[in-house]
Coordinates of all heavy atoms in Angstrom, one line a residue:
M1 N 99.8 93.5 24.4 CA 100.5 92.6 25.2 C 100.6 91.2 24.6 O 101.6 90.6 24.6 CB 99.8 92.5 26.6 CG 100.6 91.5 27.5 SD 100.1 91.6 29.3 CE 99.2 93.1 29.5
M2 N 99.5 90.8 24.0 CA 99.5 89.5 23.3 C 100.6 89.4 22.2 O 101.2 88.4 21.9 CB 98.2 89.1 22.7 CG 97.2 88.7 23.8 SD 97.7 87.4 24.9 CE 97.6 86.0 23.7
T3 N 100.9 90.6 21.6 CA 101.9 90.7 20.5 C 103.2 90.3 21.1 O 104.0 89.6 20.5 CB 102.0 92.0 19.9 OG1 100.6 92.4 19.4 CG2 102.9 92.1 18.8
Y4 N 103.6 90.8 22.4 CA 104.8 90.5 23.0 C 104.9 89.1 23.4 O 105.9 88.4 23.3 CB 105.0 91.3 24.2 CG 105.1 92.9 23.8 CD1 104.3 93.8 24.4 CD2 106.1 93.3 23.0 CE1 104.4 95.1 24.1 CE2 106.2 94.6 22.6 CZ 105.4 95.6 23.2 OH 105.5 96.9 22.8
V5 N 103.8 88.5 23.9 CA 103.7 87.1 24.3 C 104.0 86.2 23.1 O 104.8 85.3 23.1 CB 102.4 86.8 24.9 CG1 102.3 85.3 25.2 CG2 102.2 87.5 26.3
K6 N 103.3 86.5 22.0 CA 103.6 85.8 20.7 C 105.0 86.0 20.2 O 105.6 84.9 19.8 CB 102.6 86.2 19.7 CG 102.6 85.5 18.4 CD 102.2 84.0 18.5 CE 102.1 83.4 17.1 NZ 102.9 82.1 17.1
A7 N 105.5 87.1 20.3 CA 106.9 87.3 19.8 C 107.8 86.5 20.7 O 108.9 86.0 20.1 CB 107.2 88.8 19.9
L8 N 107.7 86.4 22.0 CA 108.6 85.6 22.9 C 108.4 84.2 22.4 O 109.4 83.4 22.3 CB 108.1 85.8 24.3 CG 109.0 85.0 25.3 CD1 110.4 85.4 25.3 CD2 108.4 85.2 26.7
E9 N 107.2 83.7 22.3 CA 107.0 82.3 21.9 C 107.7 82.0 20.5 O 108.4 81.0 20.3 CB 105.5 82.0 21.8 CG 105.2 80.6 21.3 CD 103.7 80.3 21.2 OE1 102.9 80.9 21.9 OE2 103.4 79.4 20.4
D10 N 107.5 82.9 19.5 CA 108.1 82.8 18.3 C 109.6 82.7 18.4 O 110.3 81.9 17.7 CB 107.7 83.9 17.3 CG 106.2 83.7 16.9 OD1 105.5 82.7 17.1 OD2 105.7 84.8 16.3
E11 N 110.2 83.6 19.1 CA 111.7 83.6 19.3 C 112.2 82.4 19.9 O 113.2 81.7 19.4 CB 112.2 84.8 20.0 CG 113.6 84.9 20.2 CD 114.2 86.0 20.9 OE1 113.4 87.0 21.1 OE2 115.4 86.0 21.3
V12 N 111.7 82.0 21.1 CA 112.2 80.9 21.8 C 112.0 79.5 21.1 O 112.9 78.7 21.1 CB 111.5 80.8 23.2 CG1 111.9 79.5 24.0 CG2 111.9 82.0 24.0
S13 N 111.0 79.5 20.2 CA 110.7 78.3 19.5 C 111.8 78.0 18.4 O 111.9 76.9 17.9 CB 109.3 78.3 18.9 OG 109.3 79.2 17.9
T14 N 112.6 79.0 18.0 CA 113.6 78.9 17.0 C 114.9 78.4 17.6 O 115.8 78.0 16.9 CB 113.9 80.2 16.3 OG1 114.5 81.2 17.2 CG2 112.6 80.7 15.6
W15 N 115.1 78.3 18.9 CA 116.3 77.9 19.6 C 116.5 76.4 19.5 O 115.5 75.7 19.6 CB 116.3 78.3 21.0 CG 116.2 79.8 21.2 CD1 116.4 80.8 20.4 CD2 116.0 80.4 22.5 NE1 116.3 82.0 21.0 CE2 116.1 81.9 22.3 CE3 115.9 80.0 23.8 CZ2 115.9 82.8 23.4 CZ3 115.7 80.9 24.8 CH2 115.7 82.3 24.5
P16 N 117.8 76.0 19.3 CA 118.0 74.5 19.2 C 117.5 73.8 20.5 O 117.7 74.3 21.5 CB 119.5 74.5 19.1 CG 120.0 75.8 18.6 CD 119.0 76.8 19.1
H17 N 116.9 72.7 20.2 CA 116.4 71.8 21.3 C 115.3 72.4 22.1 O 114.9 71.8 23.2 CB 117.6 71.4 22.2 CG 118.7 70.8 21.5 ND1 118.8 69.5 21.1 CD2 119.9 71.4 21.3 CE1 119.9 69.3 20.5 NE2 120.7 70.4 20.6
V18 N 114.7 73.4 21.7 CA 113.6 74.0 22.4 C 112.3 73.8 21.7 O 112.3 74.1 20.5 CB 113.8 75.6 22.7 CG1 112.6 76.2 23.3 CG2 114.9 75.8 23.6
S19 N 111.2 73.4 22.4 CA 110.0 73.3 21.8 C 108.9 74.0 22.6 O 109.1 74.3 23.8 CB 109.6 71.7 21.7 OG 109.6 71.2 22.9
V20 N 107.8 74.4 22.0 CA 106.8 75.1 22.8 C 105.5 74.3 22.7 O 105.1 73.7 21.8 CB 106.5 76.4 22.0 CG1 105.4 77.2 22.7 CG2 107.8 77.3 21.8
H21 N 104.9 74.2 24.0 CA 103.7 73.3 24.1 C 102.7 74.1 25.0 O 103.0 75.1 25.7 CB 104.0 72.1 24.9 CG 105.2 71.3 24.2 ND1 104.9 70.4 23.2 CD2 106.5 71.4 24.4 CE1 106.1 69.9 22.8 NE2 107.0 70.5 23.5
S22 N 101.4 73.6 25.0 CA 100.4 74.1 26.0 C 100.9 73.9 27.4 O 101.4 72.8 27.7 CB 99.1 73.5 25.7 OG 98.5 73.9 24.4
H23 N 100.7 74.8 28.2 CA 101.0 74.7 29.6 C 99.8 74.2 30.5 O 98.7 74.6 30.1 CB 101.6 76.0 30.2 CG 102.2 75.8 31.6 ND1 101.5 76.1 32.7 CD2 103.4 75.5 31.9 CE1 102.3 75.9 33.8 NE2 103.5 75.5 33.3
R24 N 100.0 73.4 31.5 CA 98.9 72.8 32.2 C 98.1 73.9 32.9 O 97.0 73.6 33.3 CB 99.4 71.7 33.2 CG 100.4 72.3 34.3 CD 100.9 71.1 35.1 NE 101.8 71.5 36.1 CZ 103.1 71.8 35.9 NH1 103.6 71.7 34.7 NH2 103.8 72.1 36.9
F25 N 98.7 75.1 33.2 CA 97.9 76.1 33.9 C 97.5 77.3 33.0 O 97.2 78.3 33.3 CB 98.7 76.7 35.1 CG 99.1 75.7 36.1 CD1 100.4 75.5 36.5 CD2 98.2 75.0 36.7 CE1 100.8 74.6 37.4 CE2 98.5 74.0 37.7 CZ 99.8 73.8 38.0
G26 N 97.6 77.0 31.7 CA 97.2 77.9 30.6 C 98.5 78.6 30.1 O 99.5 78.5 30.7
G27 N 98.4 79.2 29.0 CA 99.5 79.7 28.3 C 100.4 78.7 27.5 O 99.9 77.7 27.2
R28 N 101.6 79.1 27.5 CA 102.6 78.2 26.7 C 103.8 77.9 27.5 O 104.3 78.8 28.2 CB 103.0 78.9 25.3 CG 101.8 79.3 24.5 CD 101.0 78.2 23.8 NE 101.7 77.7 22.8 CZ 101.5 76.5 22.2 NH1 100.5 75.8 22.6 NH2 102.2 76.2 21.1
E29 N 104.3 76.7 27.4 CA 105.5 76.3 28.1 C 106.7 76.1 27.1 O 106.4 75.7 26.0 CB 105.4 75.1 29.0 CG 105.2 73.8 28.4 CD 105.0 72.7 29.4 OE1 104.9 72.9 30.6 OE2 105.0 71.5 28.9
F30 N 107.9 76.4 27.5 CA 109.1 76.2 26.7 C 109.9 75.0 27.3 O 110.2 75.0 28.5 CB 109.9 77.4 26.7 CG 109.2 78.7 26.4 CD1 109.2 79.7 27.3 CD2 108.3 78.8 25.3 CE1 108.4 81.0 27.0 CE2 107.6 79.9 25.0 CZ 107.7 81.0 25.9
L31 N 110.1 74.0 26.5 CA 110.9 72.8 26.9 C 112.3 72.8 26.3 O 112.3 73.0 25.0 CB 110.2 71.5 26.7 CG 108.8 71.4 27.3 CD1 108.2 70.0 26.9 CD2 108.9 71.5 28.8
F32 N 113.3 72.6 27.0 CA 114.6 72.3 26.5 C 114.8 70.9 26.5 O 114.9 70.3 27.7 CB 115.7 73.1 27.2 CG 117.1 72.9 26.7 CD1 117.5 73.5 25.6 CD2 118.0 72.0 27.4 CE1 118.8 73.3 25.1 CE2 119.2 71.8 26.9 CZ 119.7 72.4 25.7
D33 N 114.8 70.2 25.4 CA 114.6 68.7 25.4 C 113.4 68.4 26.1 O 112.3 68.8 25.7 CB 115.9 68.0 25.9 CG 117.0 68.2 24.9 OD1 116.8 68.3 23.7 OD2 118.2 68.2 25.4
K34 N 113.5 67.8 27.3 CA 112.2 67.5 28.0 C 112.0 68.2 29.3 O 111.1 68.1 30.1 CB 112.2 66.0 28.4 CG 112.0 65.2 27.1 CD 111.9 63.7 27.4 CE 111.8 62.9 26.1 NZ 111.7 61.5 26.4
A35 N 112.9 69.3 29.5 CA 112.9 70.0 30.8 C 112.3 71.4 30.6 O 112.7 72.1 29.6 CB 114.3 70.2 31.4
E36 N 111.4 71.7 31.5 CA 110.8 73.1 31.3 C 111.8 74.1 31.7 O 112.4 74.2 32.7 CB 109.5 73.2 32.2 CG 108.8 74.5 32.0 CD 107.6 74.8 32.8 OE1 107.1 73.8 33.5 OE2 107.0 75.9 32.8
V37 N 111.9 75.2 30.7 CA 112.8 76.3 31.0 C 111.9 77.5 31.3 O 112.5 78.6 31.5 CB 113.8 76.5 29.8 CG1 114.8 75.4 29.7 CG2 113.0 76.8 28.5
G38 N 110.7 77.4 31.3 CA 109.7 78.5 31.6 C 108.4 78.4 30.9 O 108.3 77.6 30.1
H39 N 107.6 79.3 31.3 CA 106.3 79.3 30.6 C 105.7 80.7 30.6 O 106.2 81.6 31.5 CB 105.3 78.4 31.2 CG 105.0 78.5 32.7 ND1 105.8 77.8 33.6 CD2 104.2 79.4 33.3 CE1 105.3 78.2 34.8 NE2 104.3 79.1 34.7
V40 N 104.8 81.1 29.7 CA 104.3 82.4 29.6 C 102.8 82.2 29.7 O 102.1 81.4 29.1 CB 104.7 83.1 28.3 CG1 104.3 82.4 27.1 CG2 104.2 84.6 28.3
H41 N 102.2 83.1 30.5 CA 100.8 83.1 30.7 C 100.1 84.1 29.7 O 100.9 85.1 29.3 CB 100.4 83.6 32.1 CG 100.8 82.6 33.2 ND1 100.2 81.5 33.5 CD2 101.9 82.6 34.0 CE1 100.8 80.8 34.4 NE2 101.9 81.5 34.7
T42 N 99.0 84.0 29.4 CA 98.3 84.8 28.3 C 98.3 86.3 28.8 O 98.3 87.2 28.0 CB 96.8 84.3 28.0 OG1 96.1 84.3 29.2 CG2 96.9 83.0 27.3
G43 N 98.3 86.5 30.1 CA 98.4 87.9 30.6 C 99.7 88.6 30.5 O 99.8 89.8 30.9
G44 N 100.8 87.9 30.0 CA 102.0 88.5 29.9 C 103.0 88.2 31.0 O 104.1 88.8 31.0
I45 N 102.7 87.3 31.9 CA 103.6 87.0 33.0 C 104.4 85.8 32.5 O 103.9 84.8 32.1 CB 102.9 86.7 34.3 CG1 102.2 87.9 34.8 CG2 103.9 86.2 35.3 CD1 101.4 87.7 36.1
V46 N 105.8 85.9 32.6 CA 106.6 84.9 32.2 C 107.2 84.3 33.5 O 107.8 85.1 34.2 CB 107.8 85.4 31.3 CG1 108.8 84.2 30.9 CG2 107.2 86.0 30.0
D47 N 107.1 83.0 33.7 CA 107.7 82.4 34.9 C 108.9 81.5 34.4 O 108.8 80.7 33.5 CB 106.7 81.5 35.6 CG 105.5 82.3 36.1 OD1 105.7 83.4 36.5 OD2 104.4 81.7 36.1
I48 N 110.0 81.7 35.1 CA 111.3 81.0 34.7 C 112.0 80.4 36.0 O 112.2 81.2 37.0 CB 112.2 81.9 34.0 CG1 111.6 82.4 32.7 CG2 113.6 81.1 33.6 CD1 112.4 83.5 32.0
P49 N 112.3 79.1 36.0 CA 112.9 78.6 37.2 C 114.5 78.8 37.1 O 115.1 78.7 36.0 CB 112.6 77.1 37.2 CG 112.5 76.8 35.7 CD 111.9 78.1 35.1
F50 N 115.1 79.1 38.2 CA 116.6 79.1 38.2 C 117.0 78.4 39.5 O 116.3 78.2 40.5 CB 117.0 80.7 38.4 CG 116.9 81.4 37.1 CD1 115.7 82.2 36.9 CD2 117.8 81.3 36.1 CE1 115.7 83.0 35.8 CE2 117.7 82.0 35.0 CZ 116.6 82.9 34.8
P51 N 118.3 78.1 39.6 CA 118.9 77.6 40.9 C 118.6 78.8 41.9 O 118.6 80.0 41.6 CB 120.4 77.5 40.6 CG 120.4 77.2 39.1 CD 119.3 78.1 38.5
R52 N 118.4 78.4 43.1 CA 118.0 79.4 44.1 C 119.0 80.6 44.2 O 118.6 81.7 44.4 CB 117.9 78.7 45.5 CG 117.4 79.4 46.6 CD 115.9 79.9 46.2 NE 115.3 80.7 47.3 CZ 114.6 80.3 48.3 NH1 114.3 79.1 48.5 NH2 114.1 81.2 49.2
S53 N 120.3 80.3 44.1 CA 121.3 81.4 44.3 C 121.1 82.4 43.1 O 121.2 83.6 43.3 CB 122.7 80.9 44.2 OG 123.0 80.1 43.1
V54 N 120.8 81.9 41.9 CA 120.7 82.9 40.8 C 119.4 83.6 41.0 O 119.3 84.8 40.8 CB 120.6 82.0 39.4 CG1 120.2 83.0 38.2 CG2 121.9 81.3 39.2
R55 N 118.3 83.0 41.4 CA 117.0 83.6 41.7 C 117.2 84.7 42.7 O 116.7 85.8 42.6 CB 116.0 82.6 42.1 CG 114.7 83.1 42.6 CD 114.7 83.0 44.1 NE 113.4 83.3 44.7 CZ 113.2 83.9 45.9 NH1 114.2 84.0 46.6 NH2 112.0 84.1 46.3
D56 N 117.9 84.4 43.8 CA 118.2 85.4 44.8 C 118.9 86.6 44.2 O 118.6 87.8 44.6 CB 119.0 84.8 46.0 CG 118.1 83.8 46.7 OD1 116.9 83.7 46.6 OD2 118.8 83.1 47.6
A57 N 119.9 86.4 43.4 CA 120.6 87.5 42.8 C 119.8 88.3 41.9 O 119.9 89.6 41.9 CB 121.9 87.0 42.1
L58 N 119.0 87.7 41.1 CA 118.0 88.4 40.3 C 117.0 89.3 41.0 O 116.8 90.4 40.7 CB 117.2 87.4 39.3 CG 117.9 86.7 38.3 CD1 117.1 85.5 37.7 CD2 118.4 87.7 37.2
L59 N 116.5 88.7 42.1 CA 115.6 89.5 43.0 C 116.3 90.6 43.6 O 115.8 91.9 43.7 CB 115.0 88.6 44.1 CG 114.0 87.5 43.6 CD1 113.6 86.7 44.8 CD2 112.8 88.1 42.8
A60 N 117.5 90.5 44.1 CA 118.3 91.5 44.8 C 118.6 92.6 43.9 O 118.7 93.8 44.4 CB 119.5 90.9 45.4
N61 N 118.8 92.4 42.6 CA 119.1 93.4 41.7 C 117.9 93.9 40.9 O 118.1 94.7 39.9 CB 120.1 92.9 40.7 CG 121.5 92.7 41.3 OD1 122.2 93.7 41.7 ND2 121.9 91.5 41.5
G62 N 116.7 93.6 41.3 CA 115.5 94.1 40.7 C 115.3 93.6 39.3 O 114.5 94.2 38.5
L63 N 115.9 92.4 38.9 CA 115.8 91.9 37.6 C 114.7 90.9 37.5 O 114.4 90.5 36.4 CB 117.1 91.3 37.2 CG 118.3 92.4 37.1 CD1 119.6 91.6 36.9 CD2 118.0 93.4 36.1
A64 N 114.0 90.5 38.5 CA 112.9 89.6 38.5 C 112.1 89.8 39.7 O 112.4 90.5 40.7 CB 113.4 88.1 38.5
E65 N 110.9 89.2 39.7 CA 110.0 89.3 40.9 C 109.8 87.9 41.4 O 110.1 86.9 40.7 CB 108.6 89.8 40.5 CG 108.7 91.2 40.0 CD 107.3 91.7 39.4 OE1 106.3 91.2 39.9 OE2 107.3 92.5 38.6
E66 N 109.4 87.7 42.7 CA 109.1 86.5 43.3 C 107.9 85.9 42.5 O 107.1 86.5 42.0 CB 108.8 86.6 44.7 CG 109.9 86.8 45.6 CD 109.5 86.8 47.1 OE1 108.2 87.0 47.4 OE2 110.4 86.7 48.0
H67 N 108.0 84.6 42.4 CA 106.8 83.8 41.7 C 105.6 84.0 42.7 O 105.8 83.9 43.9 CB 107.3 82.3 41.5 CG 106.3 81.6 40.7 ND1 105.1 81.0 41.3 CD2 106.3 81.4 39.4 CE1 104.5 80.5 40.3 NE2 105.0 80.6 39.1
H68 N 104.5 84.2 42.1 CA 103.3 84.5 42.9 C 102.8 83.2 43.6 O 102.2 83.4 44.7 CB 102.2 85.1 42.0 CG 102.0 84.3 40.7 ND1 102.9 84.4 39.7 CD2 101.1 83.5 40.3 CE1 102.5 83.7 38.6 NE2 101.4 83.1 39.0
W69 N 103.0 82.0 43.2 CA 102.5 80.8 43.8 C 103.5 80.1 44.7 O 103.2 79.6 45.7 CB 101.8 79.8 42.8 CG 100.6 80.3 42.2 CD1 100.4 80.8 41.0 CD2 99.4 80.4 42.9 NE1 99.1 81.1 40.7 CE2 98.5 80.9 41.9 CE3 98.9 80.1 44.1 CZ2 97.1 81.2 42.2 CZ3 97.5 80.4 44.4 CH2 96.7 80.9 43.4
V70 N 104.7 80.2 44.3 CA 105.9 79.6 45.0 C 107.0 80.6 45.2 O 108.1 80.4 44.7 CB 106.3 78.3 44.3 CG1 105.3 77.1 44.5 CG2 106.6 78.5 42.8
P71 N 106.8 81.5 46.1 CA 107.8 82.6 46.3 C 109.1 82.1 47.0 O 110.1 82.8 46.7 CB 107.0 83.6 47.1 CG 106.0 82.8 47.9 CD 105.6 81.7 47.0
N72 N 109.1 81.1 47.7 CA 110.3 80.6 48.3 C 111.0 79.4 47.6 O 111.5 78.6 48.1 CB 110.0 80.1 49.7 CG 109.6 81.3 50.6 OD1 110.1 82.4 50.5 ND2 108.5 81.1 51.4
S73 N 110.8 79.5 46.2 CA 111.5 78.5 45.4 C 112.5 79.2 44.4 O 112.8 80.3 44.6 CB 110.4 77.8 44.5 OG 109.9 78.7 43.6
G74 N 112.9 78.5 43.5 CA 113.8 79.1 42.5 C 113.0 79.8 41.4 O 113.6 80.5 40.5
W75 N 111.8 79.7 41.3 CA 111.0 80.3 40.3 C 110.9 81.8 40.3 O 110.8 82.4 41.5 CB 109.5 79.7 40.3 CG 109.4 78.4 39.7 CD1 109.5 77.2 40.4 CD2 109.1 78.1 38.4 NE1 109.3 76.2 39.5 CE2 109.1 76.7 38.3 CE3 109.0 78.9 37.2 CZ2 108.9 76.1 37.1 CZ3 108.7 78.2 36.0 CH2 108.7 76.8 35.9
T76 N 111.0 82.5 39.3 CA 110.9 83.9 39.2 C 109.8 84.3 38.2 O 109.3 83.4 37.4 CB 112.2 84.5 38.6 OG1 112.4 84.0 37.3 CG2 113.4 84.2 39.5
A77 N 109.4 85.6 38.3 CA 108.4 86.1 37.4 C 108.8 87.4 36.7 O 109.5 88.2 37.4 CB 107.1 86.3 38.2
F78 N 108.5 87.5 35.5 CA 108.7 88.7 34.7 C 107.4 89.2 34.1 O 106.7 88.3 33.6 CB 109.7 88.5 33.6 CG 111.0 87.9 34.0 CD1 111.2 86.6 34.2 CD2 112.1 88.7 34.3 CE1 112.4 86.0 34.7 CE2 113.3 88.2 34.7 CZ 113.5 86.9 34.9
H79 N 107.1 90.4 34.0 CA 105.9 91.0 33.3 C 106.4 91.5 31.9 O 107.3 92.3 31.9 CB 105.3 92.1 34.1 CG 104.7 91.6 35.4 ND1 103.4 91.2 35.4 CD2 105.2 91.4 36.6 CE1 103.1 90.8 36.7 NE2 104.2 90.9 37.4
V80 N 105.7 91.0 30.9 CA 106.1 91.5 29.5 C 105.1 92.4 29.0 O 104.0 92.1 28.7 CB 106.3 90.3 28.6 CG1 106.6 90.7 27.1 CG2 107.3 89.3 29.1
R81 N 105.4 93.8 29.1 CA 104.5 94.8 28.7 C 105.1 95.7 27.6 O 104.4 96.7 27.2 CB 104.2 95.7 29.9 CG 103.5 95.0 31.0 CD 103.2 96.0 32.2 NE 103.1 95.2 33.4 CZ 104.0 95.3 34.4 NH1 105.0 96.0 34.4 NH2 103.7 94.6 35.5
S82 N 106.3 95.5 27.3 CA 107.0 96.4 26.3 C 108.1 95.6 25.6 O 108.5 94.4 26.0 CB 107.7 97.6 27.0 OG 108.8 97.1 27.9
E83 N 108.7 96.2 24.6 CA 109.8 95.6 23.8 C 111.0 95.4 24.7 O 111.7 94.3 24.6 CB 110.2 96.6 22.6 CG 111.2 96.0 21.7 CD 110.6 94.9 20.9 OE1 109.4 95.0 20.5 OE2 111.4 94.0 20.5
E84 N 111.3 96.3 25.7 CA 112.3 96.0 26.7 C 112.1 94.9 27.5 O 113.0 94.1 27.8 CB 112.5 97.3 27.5 CG 113.8 97.3 28.3 CD 115.0 97.4 27.5 OE1 115.1 97.8 26.4 OE2 116.1 96.8 28.0
D85 N 110.8 94.7 28.0 CA 110.5 93.5 28.8 C 110.7 92.3 28.0 O 111.1 91.3 28.5 CB 109.0 93.6 29.3 CG 108.8 94.8 30.3 OD1 109.7 95.3 30.9 OD2 107.6 95.1 30.5
L86 N 110.3 92.4 26.8 CA 110.4 91.2 25.8 C 111.9 90.7 25.8 O 112.2 89.5 25.8 CB 109.9 91.5 24.4 CG 110.1 90.4 23.4 CD1 109.3 89.2 23.8 CD2 109.5 90.9 22.1
K87 N 112.8 91.7 25.5 CA 114.2 91.4 25.5 C 114.7 90.7 26.8 O 115.5 89.8 26.8 CB 115.0 92.6 25.2 CG 114.8 93.2 23.8 CD 115.6 94.4 23.5 CE 115.2 95.0 22.2 NZ 115.8 96.3 22.1
H88 N 114.2 91.3 27.9 CA 114.6 90.8 29.2 C 114.2 89.4 29.4 O 114.9 88.5 29.8 CB 114.1 91.7 30.3 CG 114.5 91.3 31.6 ND1 115.7 91.4 32.2 CD2 113.7 90.9 32.7 CE1 115.8 90.9 33.4 NE2 114.6 90.7 33.8
A89 N 112.9 89.1 29.1 CA 112.3 87.8 29.3 C 113.0 86.8 28.4 O 113.4 85.7 28.8 CB 110.8 87.8 29.0
S90 N 113.3 87.2 27.2 CA 114.0 86.2 26.2 C 115.4 85.9 26.7 O 115.8 84.8 26.7 CB 114.1 86.9 24.8 OG 114.8 86.1 24.0
G91 N 116.1 86.9 27.2 CA 117.4 86.8 27.7 C 117.4 85.9 28.9 O 118.3 85.1 29.1
S92 N 116.4 86.0 29.7 CA 116.3 85.2 31.0 C 116.0 83.8 30.6 O 116.6 82.8 31.3 CB 115.2 85.8 31.9 OG 115.5 87.1 32.3
C93 N 115.2 83.5 29.6 CA 115.0 82.1 29.2 C 116.3 81.5 28.8 O 116.7 80.4 29.1 CB 114.0 82.0 28.0 SG 112.3 82.2 28.6
G94 N 117.1 82.2 27.9 CA 118.4 81.8 27.4 C 119.3 81.6 28.6 O 120.1 80.7 28.6
C95 N 119.3 82.5 29.5 CA 120.2 82.4 30.7 C 119.9 81.1 31.5 O 120.7 80.4 31.9 CB 120.0 83.6 31.6 SG 121.0 83.6 33.1
H96 N 118.5 80.8 31.6 CA 118.2 79.6 32.4 C 118.8 78.3 31.7 O 119.4 77.5 32.4 CB 116.7 79.4 32.4 CG 116.3 78.0 32.9 ND1 116.2 77.7 34.2 CD2 116.1 76.9 32.2 CE1 115.8 76.4 34.3 NE2 115.7 76.0 33.1
I97 N 118.8 78.3 30.4 CA 119.3 77.1 29.6 C 120.9 77.1 29.9 O 121.4 76.0 30.2 CB 119.0 77.3 28.2 CG1 117.5 77.0 27.9 CG2 119.8 76.3 27.3 CD1 117.1 77.4 26.5
S98 N 121.5 78.2 29.8 CA 122.9 78.2 30.0 C 123.4 77.8 31.5 O 124.3 77.1 31.7 CB 123.5 79.6 29.8 OG 123.3 80.0 28.5
V99 N 122.6 78.3 32.4 CA 122.9 78.1 33.9 C 122.6 76.6 34.3 O 123.4 76.0 35.1 CB 122.1 79.0 34.9 CG1 122.1 78.6 36.2 CG2 122.6 80.4 34.6
T100 N 121.6 76.0 33.7 CA 121.2 74.7 34.2 C 121.7 73.6 33.3 O 121.3 72.4 33.6 CB 119.6 74.7 34.3 OG1 119.0 75.0 33.0 CG2 119.1 75.6 35.3
R101 N 122.4 73.8 32.3 CA 122.9 72.7 31.4 C 123.8 71.8 32.2 O 124.6 72.2 32.9 CB 123.6 73.2 30.3 CG 122.7 73.5 29.1 CD 123.6 73.7 27.9 NE 122.8 74.2 26.9 CZ 123.3 74.3 25.6 NH1 124.5 74.0 25.3 NH2 122.5 74.8 24.7

């Protein structure tokens, strides 16, 4: 699992205007300029914020889970346990940047 977490961090860190930092709750956070576009916990859970309407569509289509601490927000959660999960999490981070620009 740590391999997938590291692979996600390595990929996202190559994107323009994105930097990777320690997250205040553990793990690593991804910043687009100065705005957080998500973070990954050492256990392989990736949390990504979206506008509420996008979050609702992701949940309705089974593409994300509710965030465990703030389920009634725009935050979503993804579990990264496989190469397919890694692609999904990476695409979701990229989607967040596109949707919120």
Side-chain angles (χ1 to χ4, degrees):
M1 183 168 340
M2 288 303 293
T3 302
Y4 296 121
V5 170
K6 180 69 171 128
L8 179 63
E9 180 181 331
D10 290 347
E11 179 180 345
V12 172
S13 70
T14 66
W15 298 351
H17 306 285
V18 174
S19 56
V20 180
H21 306 272
S22 294
H23 189 265
R24 65 186 177 276
F25 299 126
R28 307 290 283 164
E29 70 181 5
F30 311 125
L31 301 180
F32 180 78
D33 291 326
K34 294 183 180 182
E36 183 178 355
V37 296
H39 56 267
V40 60
H41 297 278
T42 55
I45 297 175
V46 179
D47 297 327
I48 303 172
F50 286 101
R52 188 64 184 263
S53 60
V54 174
R55 173 253 189 208
D56 290 346
L58 290 169
L59 294 179
N61 288 291
L63 298 173
E65 298 175 24
E66 287 184 341
H67 190 274
H68 47 286
W69 289 107
V70 285
N72 295 317
S73 69
W75 282 90
T76 59
F78 303 88
H79 292 268
V80 179
R81 299 181 203 110
S82 67
E83 188 70 30
E84 190 66 28
D85 292 344
L86 174 62
K87 290 176 188 174
H88 182 65
S90 173
S92 296
C93 282
C95 180
H96 168 86
I97 292 170
S98 297
V99 167
T100 58
R101 272 193 191 189

